[in-house]
Short mmCIF file of all heavy atoms in Angstrom, two decimals:
data_model
loop_
_atom_site.label_atom_id
_atom_site.label_comp_id
_atom_site.label_asym_id
_atom_site.label_seq_id
_atom_site.Cartn_x
_atom_site.Cartn_y
_atom_site.Cartn_z
N SER M 593 8.68 97.92 12.65
CA SER M 593 9.93 97.56 12.03
C SER M 593 9.63 96.83 10.73
O SER M 593 8.99 95.77 10.83
CB SER M 593 10.83 96.77 12.99
OG SER M 593 12.02 96.42 12.35
N ILE M 594 10.12 97.35 9.63
CA ILE M 594 10.05 96.68 8.35
C ILE M 594 11.43 96.45 7.82
O ILE M 594 12.12 97.37 7.49
CB ILE M 594 9.19 97.50 7.32
CG1 ILE M 594 7.79 97.74 7.85
CG2 ILE M 594 9.15 96.80 5.98
CD1 ILE M 594 6.90 98.61 6.95
N GLN M 595 11.76 95.12 7.76
CA GLN M 595 13.07 94.75 7.26
C GLN M 595 12.85 94.02 5.94
O GLN M 595 12.38 92.88 5.96
CB GLN M 595 13.76 93.83 8.28
CG GLN M 595 13.96 94.50 9.65
CD GLN M 595 14.52 93.61 10.70
OE1 GLN M 595 15.31 92.68 10.34
NE2 GLN M 595 14.22 93.83 11.98
N ASN M 596 13.14 94.68 4.86
CA ASN M 596 12.64 94.31 3.53
C ASN M 596 13.60 93.50 2.68
O ASN M 596 13.24 93.19 1.53
CB ASN M 596 12.15 95.53 2.75
CG ASN M 596 10.73 95.37 2.19
OD1 ASN M 596 10.02 94.52 2.66
ND2 ASN M 596 10.48 96.07 1.09
N ASP M 597 14.73 93.18 3.19
CA ASP M 597 15.63 92.33 2.47
C ASP M 597 16.00 92.84 1.08
O ASP M 597 16.12 92.04 0.17
CB ASP M 597 15.15 90.93 2.45
CG ASP M 597 16.26 89.91 2.18
OD1 ASP M 597 17.40 90.20 2.40
OD2 ASP M 597 15.92 88.79 1.72
N GLY M 598 16.07 94.17 0.87
CA GLY M 598 16.48 94.71 -0.38
C GLY M 598 15.31 95.05 -1.36
O GLY M 598 15.49 95.70 -2.37
N THR M 599 14.05 94.58 -1.04
CA THR M 599 12.94 94.92 -1.86
C THR M 599 12.54 96.36 -1.69
O THR M 599 12.50 96.86 -0.53
CB THR M 599 11.74 94.03 -1.53
OG1 THR M 599 12.13 92.67 -1.71
CG2 THR M 599 10.58 94.30 -2.45
N LYS M 600 12.29 97.07 -2.78
CA LYS M 600 12.06 98.53 -2.74
C LYS M 600 10.65 98.75 -2.11
O LYS M 600 9.66 98.25 -2.58
CB LYS M 600 12.09 99.11 -4.12
CG LYS M 600 12.13 100.65 -4.11
CD LYS M 600 12.30 101.20 -5.50
CE LYS M 600 12.43 102.77 -5.50
NZ LYS M 600 13.57 103.19 -4.72
N LEU M 601 10.64 99.59 -1.08
CA LEU M 601 9.37 99.93 -0.46
C LEU M 601 8.90 101.24 -1.11
O LEU M 601 9.49 102.33 -0.98
CB LEU M 601 9.60 100.18 1.02
CG LEU M 601 8.34 100.36 1.92
CD1 LEU M 601 7.46 99.14 1.79
CD2 LEU M 601 8.76 100.62 3.37
N LEU M 602 7.76 101.14 -1.88
CA LEU M 602 7.35 102.22 -2.77
C LEU M 602 6.32 103.10 -2.02
O LEU M 602 6.34 104.32 -2.13
CB LEU M 602 6.73 101.64 -3.98
CG LEU M 602 7.65 100.80 -4.86
CD1 LEU M 602 6.92 100.22 -6.03
CD2 LEU M 602 8.84 101.67 -5.38
N THR M 603 5.38 102.51 -1.31
CA THR M 603 4.30 103.29 -0.72
C THR M 603 4.30 103.19 0.79
O THR M 603 4.28 102.12 1.32
CB THR M 603 2.92 102.76 -1.25
OG1 THR M 603 2.96 102.75 -2.67
CG2 THR M 603 1.78 103.60 -0.73
N LEU M 604 4.33 104.42 1.41
CA LEU M 604 4.40 104.49 2.90
C LEU M 604 3.27 105.36 3.43
O LEU M 604 3.39 105.86 4.58
CB LEU M 604 5.74 105.02 3.34
CG LEU M 604 7.01 104.11 3.02
CD1 LEU M 604 7.56 104.58 1.68
CD2 LEU M 604 8.04 104.21 4.12
N ASN M 605 2.25 105.61 2.67
CA ASN M 605 1.18 106.49 3.11
C ASN M 605 0.50 106.04 4.43
O ASN M 605 0.02 106.82 5.20
CB ASN M 605 0.15 106.64 2.04
CG ASN M 605 0.69 107.35 0.81
OD1 ASN M 605 1.64 108.18 0.97
ND2 ASN M 605 0.13 107.10 -0.37
N ALA M 606 0.46 104.73 4.64
CA ALA M 606 -0.17 104.22 5.86
C ALA M 606 0.52 104.62 7.10
O ALA M 606 -0.12 104.64 8.19
CB ALA M 606 -0.21 102.65 5.78
N LEU M 607 1.76 105.13 7.01
CA LEU M 607 2.49 105.54 8.21
C LEU M 607 1.89 106.80 8.83
O LEU M 607 2.07 107.06 10.02
CB LEU M 607 3.97 105.81 7.87
CG LEU M 607 4.82 104.55 7.42
CD1 LEU M 607 6.20 105.03 7.07
CD2 LEU M 607 4.84 103.52 8.55
N LYS M 608 1.25 107.58 7.99
CA LYS M 608 0.70 108.90 8.49
C LYS M 608 -0.29 108.67 9.59
O LYS M 608 -0.53 109.59 10.45
CB LYS M 608 0.11 109.66 7.36
CG LYS M 608 1.09 110.07 6.23
CD LYS M 608 0.42 110.82 5.18
CE LYS M 608 1.43 111.21 4.08
NZ LYS M 608 0.76 111.94 2.97
N ARG M 609 -0.95 107.51 9.65
CA ARG M 609 -2.02 107.27 10.62
C ARG M 609 -1.44 106.81 11.94
O ARG M 609 -2.25 106.63 12.89
CB ARG M 609 -3.03 106.33 10.04
CG ARG M 609 -3.62 106.82 8.67
CD ARG M 609 -4.65 105.86 8.14
NE ARG M 609 -5.77 105.64 9.05
CZ ARG M 609 -6.78 104.84 8.77
NH1 ARG M 609 -6.82 104.15 7.65
NH2 ARG M 609 -7.75 104.69 9.67
N LEU M 610 -0.19 106.49 11.97
CA LEU M 610 0.39 105.91 13.23
C LEU M 610 0.86 107.06 14.12
O LEU M 610 2.05 107.28 14.33
CB LEU M 610 1.54 104.98 12.86
CG LEU M 610 1.15 103.81 11.94
CD1 LEU M 610 2.40 102.98 11.72
CD2 LEU M 610 0.12 102.98 12.53
N SER M 611 -0.10 107.78 14.63
CA SER M 611 0.21 109.02 15.40
C SER M 611 0.95 108.73 16.69
O SER M 611 1.69 109.59 17.21
CB SER M 611 -1.07 109.79 15.69
OG SER M 611 -2.01 108.95 16.38
N LEU M 612 0.72 107.55 17.27
CA LEU M 612 1.37 107.23 18.60
C LEU M 612 2.72 106.44 18.39
O LEU M 612 3.30 106.07 19.36
CB LEU M 612 0.46 106.36 19.39
CG LEU M 612 -0.81 107.07 19.82
CD1 LEU M 612 -1.74 106.13 20.67
CD2 LEU M 612 -0.59 108.39 20.53
N LEU M 613 3.12 106.28 17.18
CA LEU M 613 4.33 105.52 16.91
C LEU M 613 5.60 106.22 17.49
O LEU M 613 5.80 107.39 17.28
CB LEU M 613 4.50 105.34 15.38
CG LEU M 613 5.51 104.27 14.99
CD1 LEU M 613 5.02 102.87 15.45
CD2 LEU M 613 5.67 104.31 13.48
N LYS M 614 6.37 105.48 18.26
CA LYS M 614 7.56 106.01 18.86
C LYS M 614 8.89 105.51 18.10
O LYS M 614 9.83 106.26 18.00
CB LYS M 614 7.64 105.54 20.34
CG LYS M 614 6.54 106.17 21.18
CD LYS M 614 6.74 105.78 22.63
CE LYS M 614 5.57 106.37 23.51
NZ LYS M 614 5.76 105.95 24.98
N ASP M 615 8.91 104.25 17.74
CA ASP M 615 10.09 103.70 17.04
C ASP M 615 9.66 103.24 15.64
O ASP M 615 8.64 102.55 15.49
CB ASP M 615 10.61 102.55 17.81
CG ASP M 615 11.23 102.94 19.16
OD1 ASP M 615 11.30 104.18 19.39
OD2 ASP M 615 11.50 102.11 19.97
N LEU M 616 10.42 103.67 14.66
CA LEU M 616 10.20 103.27 13.26
C LEU M 616 11.50 102.81 12.64
O LEU M 616 12.48 103.49 12.68
CB LEU M 616 9.63 104.43 12.47
CG LEU M 616 9.44 104.16 10.93
CD1 LEU M 616 8.44 103.00 10.77
CD2 LEU M 616 8.92 105.41 10.26
N GLU M 617 11.48 101.55 12.15
CA GLU M 617 12.66 101.00 11.52
C GLU M 617 12.28 100.62 10.06
O GLU M 617 11.38 99.80 9.89
CB GLU M 617 13.14 99.77 12.30
CG GLU M 617 13.66 100.06 13.66
CD GLU M 617 14.14 98.81 14.38
OE1 GLU M 617 13.93 97.67 13.80
OE2 GLU M 617 14.69 98.85 15.47
N LEU M 618 13.00 101.20 9.12
CA LEU M 618 12.79 100.83 7.71
C LEU M 618 14.18 100.44 7.24
O LEU M 618 14.98 101.26 6.72
CB LEU M 618 12.27 102.02 6.89
CG LEU M 618 10.92 102.59 7.39
CD1 LEU M 618 10.53 103.87 6.62
CD2 LEU M 618 9.82 101.56 7.29
N ILE M 619 14.46 99.13 7.35
CA ILE M 619 15.79 98.61 7.07
C ILE M 619 15.82 97.82 5.76
O ILE M 619 14.93 97.02 5.54
CB ILE M 619 16.24 97.74 8.28
CG1 ILE M 619 16.23 98.54 9.54
CG2 ILE M 619 17.60 97.14 8.01
CD1 ILE M 619 16.52 97.75 10.83
N ARG M 620 16.82 98.13 4.95
CA ARG M 620 16.96 97.43 3.65
C ARG M 620 15.74 97.49 2.80
O ARG M 620 15.34 96.51 2.19
CB ARG M 620 17.34 95.96 3.85
CG ARG M 620 18.63 95.77 4.63
CD ARG M 620 19.15 94.33 4.60
NE ARG M 620 19.62 94.01 3.21
CZ ARG M 620 19.96 92.78 2.80
NH1 ARG M 620 19.90 91.81 3.63
NH2 ARG M 620 20.35 92.63 1.54
N CYS M 621 15.16 98.71 2.71
CA CYS M 621 13.96 98.93 1.93
C CYS M 621 14.26 99.65 0.61
O CYS M 621 13.37 100.11 -0.12
CB CYS M 621 12.96 99.78 2.73
SG CYS M 621 12.33 98.85 4.25
N ASP M 622 15.54 99.82 0.27
CA ASP M 622 15.95 100.43 -0.96
C ASP M 622 15.41 101.87 -1.09
O ASP M 622 14.95 102.29 -2.17
CB ASP M 622 15.57 99.61 -2.14
CG ASP M 622 16.28 99.98 -3.46
OD1 ASP M 622 17.37 100.59 -3.39
OD2 ASP M 622 15.77 99.75 -4.54
N LEU M 623 15.37 102.59 0.06
CA LEU M 623 14.82 103.96 0.01
C LEU M 623 15.94 104.93 -0.53
O LEU M 623 17.10 104.83 -0.17
CB LEU M 623 14.41 104.39 1.38
CG LEU M 623 13.28 103.56 2.05
CD1 LEU M 623 13.07 104.04 3.50
CD2 LEU M 623 12.04 103.70 1.23
N GLU M 624 15.49 105.92 -1.36
CA GLU M 624 16.40 106.87 -1.86
C GLU M 624 16.31 108.18 -1.17
O GLU M 624 17.23 109.02 -1.26
CB GLU M 624 16.17 107.03 -3.37
CG GLU M 624 16.40 105.77 -4.22
CD GLU M 624 16.10 105.98 -5.67
OE1 GLU M 624 15.63 107.10 -6.10
OE2 GLU M 624 16.30 105.00 -6.48
N ARG M 625 15.23 108.40 -0.53
CA ARG M 625 15.00 109.68 0.28
C ARG M 625 14.30 109.23 1.53
O ARG M 625 13.72 108.21 1.68
CB ARG M 625 14.14 110.63 -0.53
CG ARG M 625 14.79 111.19 -1.77
CD ARG M 625 13.84 112.14 -2.50
NE ARG M 625 14.49 112.75 -3.65
CZ ARG M 625 15.17 113.86 -3.60
NH1 ARG M 625 15.29 114.54 -2.45
NH2 ARG M 625 15.75 114.32 -4.72
N ILE M 626 14.39 110.19 2.48
CA ILE M 626 13.67 110.01 3.72
C ILE M 626 12.17 110.13 3.41
O ILE M 626 11.76 111.13 2.87
CB ILE M 626 14.10 111.04 4.76
CG1 ILE M 626 15.59 110.85 5.13
CG2 ILE M 626 13.27 110.88 6.06
CD1 ILE M 626 16.11 111.86 6.08
N PRO M 627 11.34 109.18 3.70
CA PRO M 627 9.93 109.18 3.38
C PRO M 627 9.21 110.44 3.97
O PRO M 627 9.41 110.71 5.16
CB PRO M 627 9.37 107.91 3.85
CG PRO M 627 10.55 107.01 4.03
CD PRO M 627 11.70 107.89 4.38
N HIS M 628 8.39 111.11 3.15
CA HIS M 628 7.63 112.26 3.70
C HIS M 628 6.65 111.82 4.76
O HIS M 628 6.27 112.65 5.60
CB HIS M 628 6.96 112.98 2.58
CG HIS M 628 7.90 113.64 1.60
ND1 HIS M 628 8.46 114.88 1.86
CD2 HIS M 628 8.40 113.26 0.40
CE1 HIS M 628 9.24 115.24 0.86
NE2 HIS M 628 9.24 114.24 0.01
N ALA M 629 6.17 110.60 4.74
CA ALA M 629 5.19 110.16 5.70
C ALA M 629 5.73 110.20 7.11
O ALA M 629 5.01 110.33 8.10
CB ALA M 629 4.69 108.78 5.38
N VAL M 630 7.03 110.16 7.21
CA VAL M 630 7.67 110.11 8.56
C VAL M 630 7.48 111.50 9.24
O VAL M 630 7.43 111.52 10.45
CB VAL M 630 9.19 109.75 8.41
CG1 VAL M 630 9.91 109.89 9.76
CG2 VAL M 630 9.34 108.39 7.82
N PHE M 631 7.46 112.54 8.47
CA PHE M 631 7.43 113.89 9.07
C PHE M 631 6.18 114.23 9.87
O PHE M 631 6.15 115.16 10.63
CB PHE M 631 7.68 114.95 7.99
CG PHE M 631 8.88 114.70 7.15
CD1 PHE M 631 8.88 114.98 5.78
CD2 PHE M 631 10.07 114.20 7.76
CE1 PHE M 631 10.07 114.67 5.02
CE2 PHE M 631 11.19 113.98 7.00
CZ PHE M 631 11.17 114.17 5.65
N SER M 632 5.10 113.45 9.69
CA SER M 632 3.89 113.71 10.34
C SER M 632 3.79 112.84 11.66
O SER M 632 2.74 112.94 12.35
CB SER M 632 2.73 113.30 9.44
OG SER M 632 2.73 111.97 9.08
N LEU M 633 4.82 112.10 12.01
CA LEU M 633 4.78 111.30 13.21
C LEU M 633 5.29 112.12 14.40
O LEU M 633 6.43 112.17 14.69
CB LEU M 633 5.61 110.06 13.01
CG LEU M 633 5.20 109.15 11.80
CD1 LEU M 633 6.14 107.96 11.72
CD2 LEU M 633 3.77 108.68 12.00
N ASN M 634 4.39 112.80 15.02
CA ASN M 634 4.77 113.74 16.08
C ASN M 634 5.40 113.09 17.33
O ASN M 634 6.16 113.77 18.08
CB ASN M 634 3.54 114.59 16.56
CG ASN M 634 3.02 115.38 15.34
OD1 ASN M 634 3.78 115.81 14.49
ND2 ASN M 634 1.72 115.61 15.33
N ASN M 635 5.09 111.81 17.59
CA ASN M 635 5.57 111.14 18.78
C ASN M 635 6.79 110.30 18.49
O ASN M 635 7.25 109.54 19.38
CB ASN M 635 4.42 110.26 19.43
CG ASN M 635 3.35 111.09 20.01
OD1 ASN M 635 3.61 111.94 20.85
ND2 ASN M 635 2.10 110.86 19.50
N LEU M 636 7.29 110.38 17.30
CA LEU M 636 8.46 109.58 16.94
C LEU M 636 9.64 109.94 17.70
O LEU M 636 10.02 111.09 17.78
CB LEU M 636 8.69 109.72 15.45
CG LEU M 636 9.70 108.65 14.81
CD1 LEU M 636 9.15 107.29 14.90
CD2 LEU M 636 9.99 109.08 13.37
N GLN M 637 10.30 108.93 18.31
CA GLN M 637 11.50 109.14 19.16
C GLN M 637 12.75 108.53 18.49
O GLN M 637 13.86 108.98 18.76
CB GLN M 637 11.33 108.50 20.54
CG GLN M 637 10.18 109.18 21.30
CD GLN M 637 9.97 108.53 22.67
OE1 GLN M 637 10.73 107.68 23.06
NE2 GLN M 637 8.92 108.93 23.39
N MET M 638 12.56 107.49 17.67
CA MET M 638 13.68 106.82 17.07
C MET M 638 13.39 106.50 15.63
O MET M 638 12.27 105.90 15.38
CB MET M 638 14.10 105.59 17.81
CG MET M 638 15.46 104.99 17.38
SD MET M 638 15.29 103.81 15.98
CE MET M 638 14.49 102.47 16.82
N LEU M 639 14.26 106.85 14.71
CA LEU M 639 14.06 106.53 13.30
C LEU M 639 15.32 105.81 12.77
O LEU M 639 16.46 106.35 12.86
CB LEU M 639 13.89 107.87 12.46
CG LEU M 639 13.76 107.64 10.93
CD1 LEU M 639 12.56 106.70 10.59
CD2 LEU M 639 13.58 109.01 10.23
N ASP M 640 15.13 104.66 12.26
CA ASP M 640 16.26 103.81 11.80
C ASP M 640 16.09 103.55 10.28
O ASP M 640 15.13 102.86 9.89
CB ASP M 640 16.27 102.48 12.56
CG ASP M 640 17.56 101.73 12.35
OD1 ASP M 640 18.29 102.02 11.38
OD2 ASP M 640 17.89 100.80 13.21
N LEU M 641 17.01 104.03 9.54
CA LEU M 641 17.02 103.92 8.06
C LEU M 641 18.27 103.24 7.57
O LEU M 641 18.82 103.57 6.54
CB LEU M 641 16.79 105.26 7.37
CG LEU M 641 15.55 106.01 7.73
CD1 LEU M 641 15.51 107.41 7.04
CD2 LEU M 641 14.31 105.26 7.33
N LYS M 642 18.74 102.27 8.31
CA LYS M 642 19.98 101.60 7.93
C LYS M 642 19.79 100.79 6.64
O LYS M 642 18.78 100.30 6.28
CB LYS M 642 20.39 100.58 9.09
CG LYS M 642 20.77 101.23 10.34
CD LYS M 642 21.49 100.29 11.31
CE LYS M 642 20.65 99.10 11.64
NZ LYS M 642 19.58 99.38 12.54
N GLU M 643 20.97 100.62 5.97
CA GLU M 643 21.15 99.70 4.82
C GLU M 643 20.11 99.97 3.71
O GLU M 643 19.49 99.07 3.12
CB GLU M 643 21.00 98.23 5.28
CG GLU M 643 22.05 97.89 6.29
CD GLU M 643 21.97 96.40 6.70
OE1 GLU M 643 21.66 95.57 5.80
OE2 GLU M 643 22.19 96.08 7.86
N ASN M 644 19.93 101.28 3.38
CA ASN M 644 19.07 101.70 2.27
C ASN M 644 19.95 102.29 1.16
O ASN M 644 21.18 102.10 1.17
CB ASN M 644 18.06 102.77 2.76
CG ASN M 644 16.86 102.04 3.43
OD1 ASN M 644 16.07 101.38 2.89
ND2 ASN M 644 16.89 102.23 4.86
N SER M 645 19.32 103.08 0.27
CA SER M 645 20.08 103.63 -0.88
C SER M 645 19.86 105.15 -0.87
O SER M 645 19.61 105.79 -1.90
CB SER M 645 19.61 103.04 -2.21
OG SER M 645 19.82 101.65 -2.18
N LEU M 646 19.92 105.80 0.28
CA LEU M 646 19.71 107.23 0.38
C LEU M 646 20.78 108.01 -0.40
O LEU M 646 21.96 107.78 -0.20
CB LEU M 646 19.69 107.68 1.82
CG LEU M 646 18.58 107.04 2.76
CD1 LEU M 646 18.75 107.57 4.17
CD2 LEU M 646 17.23 107.38 2.20
N HIS M 647 20.31 108.87 -1.30
CA HIS M 647 21.21 109.72 -2.07
C HIS M 647 21.51 111.11 -1.37
O HIS M 647 22.61 111.68 -1.54
CB HIS M 647 20.66 109.98 -3.47
CG HIS M 647 20.56 108.75 -4.27
ND1 HIS M 647 21.63 108.09 -4.72
CD2 HIS M 647 19.42 108.12 -4.78
CE1 HIS M 647 21.21 106.99 -5.43
NE2 HIS M 647 19.93 106.99 -5.43
N THR M 648 20.56 111.52 -0.62
CA THR M 648 20.67 112.78 0.06
C THR M 648 19.83 112.80 1.33
O THR M 648 18.85 111.99 1.44
CB THR M 648 20.21 113.94 -0.89
OG1 THR M 648 20.35 115.21 -0.22
CG2 THR M 648 18.81 113.77 -1.32
N ILE M 649 20.11 113.69 2.22
CA ILE M 649 19.34 113.86 3.41
C ILE M 649 18.89 115.31 3.58
O ILE M 649 18.76 115.87 4.64
CB ILE M 649 20.12 113.42 4.63
CG1 ILE M 649 21.45 114.18 4.73
CG2 ILE M 649 20.37 111.92 4.62
CD1 ILE M 649 22.16 113.98 6.04
N GLU M 650 18.61 115.96 2.36
CA GLU M 650 18.14 117.29 2.39
C GLU M 650 16.85 117.44 3.18
O GLU M 650 16.57 118.49 3.77
CB GLU M 650 18.01 117.85 0.97
CG GLU M 650 19.35 117.93 0.21
CD GLU M 650 19.10 118.44 -1.20
OE1 GLU M 650 17.91 118.59 -1.56
OE2 GLU M 650 20.08 118.69 -1.93
N GLU M 651 16.01 116.32 3.11
CA GLU M 651 14.68 116.39 3.81
C GLU M 651 14.90 116.31 5.31
O GLU M 651 13.88 116.42 6.04
CB GLU M 651 13.87 115.20 3.35
CG GLU M 651 13.53 115.27 1.88
CD GLU M 651 14.59 114.50 1.04
OE1 GLU M 651 15.65 114.24 1.66
OE2 GLU M 651 14.38 114.24 -0.16
#
Side-chain angles (χ1 to χ4, degrees):
S593 177
I594 299 179
Q595 303 176 30
N596 229 22
D597 200 20
T599 302
K600 191 174 184 62
L601 190 61
L602 300 174
T603 306
L604 297 91
N605 294 332
L607 294 178
K608 297 179 180 180
R609 303 181 59 181
L610 303 179
S611 57
L612 298 181
L613 195 65
K614 295 182 180 180
D615 294 349
L616 176 61
E617 295 180 354
L618 301 175
I619 301 174
R620 301 194 67 187
C621 296
D622 196 24
L623 298 177
E624 297 179 357
R625 293 177 177 272
I626 299 177
H628 291 279
V630 174
F631 306 142
S632 60
L633 302 178
N634 299 327
N635 291 303
L636 191 64
Q637 298 179 6
M638 191 273 291
L639 176 61
D640 192 341
L641 300 176
K642 294 194 301 286
E643 301 184 37
N644 283 287
S645 301
L646 298 179
H647 295 293
T648 179
I649 55 172
E650 295 178 354
E651 298 89 347

